[in-house]
Amino acid sequence: MTKNIITINEFIKKSLGEWKSIRSTHSLAFQEVENSISKISIKDIEIKNKKVVELLEKHGLSKEPCIIAIKISWQSISDWEEDEKKEEDQTILLFLQREKNSGIVLRNKGYTESIISSSEYLIDENENLNIKTNYSSTVSEERICFLSNHIRSRYSVIRNHENNTVIQTSHTSEIRNMSILKD
């Protein structure tokens, strides 16, 4: 019997909402550990949104019917520095489905390098969303999975593009903010 794998549309829909994130990042190059706590908001946005149109144009694309657009915003506190400064930012992601369970992700700001980027995504047989991005000097591989309807887990590895050396790993647990859910 063949298992029906979740689609990217279903995965994104399941991800929408407010999340509390607890992240541990291991910088292997510097033998350092950073722990951070974040509030993350994942919202869908209209394909007609100005930022979506601009991002498509920067990648030389026009509006396509198979685009899923989301905005991810976050506020985080990290123990990386002594003063535990707060950071906040946001990014736009566009998912362009090419095959049933794979496609391209366009971002206005990359995960590893803060530049416009294009990634490949694949939803595997375990319904994990795998995203791989080649930057100029690094390669980022990320896997996101649901442990339950309200708990997500993210794993990432950043490698040196030139010699494939692992530079950094991280693990994140994300818990949905249940207090804002509607009945």
Side-chain angles (χ1 to χ4, degrees):
M1 181 191 272
T2 305
K3 179 180 176 183
N4 286 331
I5 298 174
I6 191 170
T7 66
I8 190 62
N9 198 21
E10 293 166 327
F11 193 96
I12 296 298
K13 193 172 188 176
K14 202 172 171 181
S15 298
L16 298 176
E18 304 287 328
W19 300 82
K20 179 179 181 180
S21 167
I22 303 166
R23 179 180 180 138
S24 179
T25 302
H26 303 184
S27 173
L28 303 177
F30 298 107
Q31 297 184 4
E32 299 269 343
V33 175
E34 174 189 15
N35 294 302
S36 60
I37 297 174
S38 304
K39 291 181 183 177
I40 299 172
S41 171
I42 303 174
K43 297 180 179 180
D44 55 350
I45 55 177
E46 293 291 323
I47 295 172
K48 297 175 186 176
N49 181 293
K50 180 182 175 184
K51 290 182 180 184
V52 171
V53 173
E54 287 173 1
L55 186 54
L56 285 170
E57 288 173 354
K58 286 180 182 177
H59 283 280
L61 301 170
S62 61
K63 294 179 192 170
E64 293 187 21
C66 297
I67 294 175
I68 301 167
I70 61 172
K71 177 173 84 171
I72 302 176
S73 307
W74 63 92
Q75 299 173 327
S76 65
I77 298 173
S78 168
D79 69 358
W80 189 254
E81 297 184 25
E82 290 179 28
D83 60 355
E84 290 190 2
K85 74 176 185 184
K86 287 186 178 182
E87 289 186 27
E88 58 183 86
D89 207 347
Q90 65 180 12
T91 188
I92 304 290
L93 279 72
L94 307 180
F95 290 83
L96 290 74
Q97 186 174 348
R98 296 294 187 225
E99 301 286 329
K100 184 177 179 183
N101 297 316
S102 63
I104 298 170
V105 182
L106 305 178
R107 304 176 194 226
N108 68 332
K109 186 180 304 177
Y111 173 73
T112 303
E113 298 177 26
S114 191
I115 57 172
I116 262 190
S117 66
S118 172
S119 309
E120 295 176 7
Y121 79 81
L122 168 72
I123 297 179
D124 64 27
E125 63 278 351
N126 294 316
E127 299 187 344
N128 299 316
L129 174 59
N130 298 277
I131 301 174
K132 183 175 182 180
T133 310
N134 287 302
Y135 295 100
S136 58
S137 61
T138 60
V139 176
S140 169
E141 298 172 16
E142 186 173 15
R143 184 177 72 222
I144 306 167
C145 61
F146 280 90
L147 303 177
S148 74
N149 285 333
H150 305 295
I151 300 174
R152 292 183 357 151
S153 187
R154 289 190 298 134
Y155 304 92
S156 68
V157 175
I158 300 171
R159 299 176 189 273
N160 179 301
H161 200 287
E162 193 173 302
N163 60 16
N164 208 30
T165 306
V166 176
I167 299 169
Q168 179 179 297
T169 64
S170 69
H171 174 257
T172 307
S173 295
E174 297 173 343
I175 304 151
R176 188 184 305 276
N177 182 350
M178 301 297 287
S179 66
I180 65 168
L181 291 180
K182 298 177 184 175
D183 292 330

